[in-house]
Amino acid sequence: MPEPDSGTRPETGTAAETVAEPPGPFRVRPIATRRGPDPKQDRAARTRLLVLTAAAELFTARGFRHTSMQEVADRVGMTKGAVYFHYPTKEALAVAVVEHHYARWPLLLAGVTAEGHGPLETAERLLAGAALAFRDDVVVQAGTRLQVERPQIDAELPTPYVDWTELLAGLLSRAEALGELRAGVRPRTAARSLVAAFFFGTQHISDVLRERADIVERWSETAELLFRAIRAD
């Protein structure tokens, strides 16, 4: 496993990790924390990503408190000092995982939007895509666990669920204007219900009972019921 390109101590700063950020309601908001230097070479960027992925796997399985920097280093076959070069504290590593978690959603939104569906079907397909991400993407899984464990982390993590609620409320408002919503359904109320049903309903229960192995199937059942309830006849 490659060692860092410099033996100097980590730099500090507030620049965000380099993550993709297509336009849309989701924004990658830099979180204030100590950070290592931005990678200047492809090898350093790849190493940094390997460390982040290893940390995400451990955070998912063990949580923030029970994951050590030494365990991260052992998982990628590096020295602990090499890990500290890229991420000077465990909090910095957790922040990077959370930022990459949030950066997944603009990519999902861009992909679904490009398919050209109406607003109600776009909302449905976004949540179906989120279910796949929670099943398959360890960074999404880790970011969610870290958000739950936010009192243990000495960093100001973003408030969860807000962007999803705003996005779905906007889509459902457009659906209402197009006559796609059942009469009497209030877009923001429905958006809050969908977010609760997915993130702290289906997603959480599937995690506890099956480590999210069945989240796609369980959400499909729930989505069929909820979207039938709000869709116009």
Side-chain angles (χ1 to χ4, degrees), residues 31 93-103 139 142-143 146-147 157-158:
I31 302 168
L93 193 43
V95 163
V97 170
V98 169
E99 288 176 339
H100 278 71
H101 165 105
Y102 278 101
V139 171
L146 291 169
Q147 285 283 38
L157 300 185

Side-chain angles (χ1 to χ4, degrees), residues 119-128 168 172 180-182 190 194 219-232:
L120 193 60
E121 187 171 356
T122 295
E124 194 166 2
R125 291 180 69 84
L126 280 170
L127 288 168
L168 293 174
L172 296 182
E180 294 181 359
L181 282 193
R182 185 182 300 275
L194 286 168
W219 175 247
S220 178
E221 295 168 350
T222 304
E224 181 180 6
L225 180 66
L226 294 177
F227 280 95
R228 181 182 297 171
I230 67 174
R231 183 180 288 112

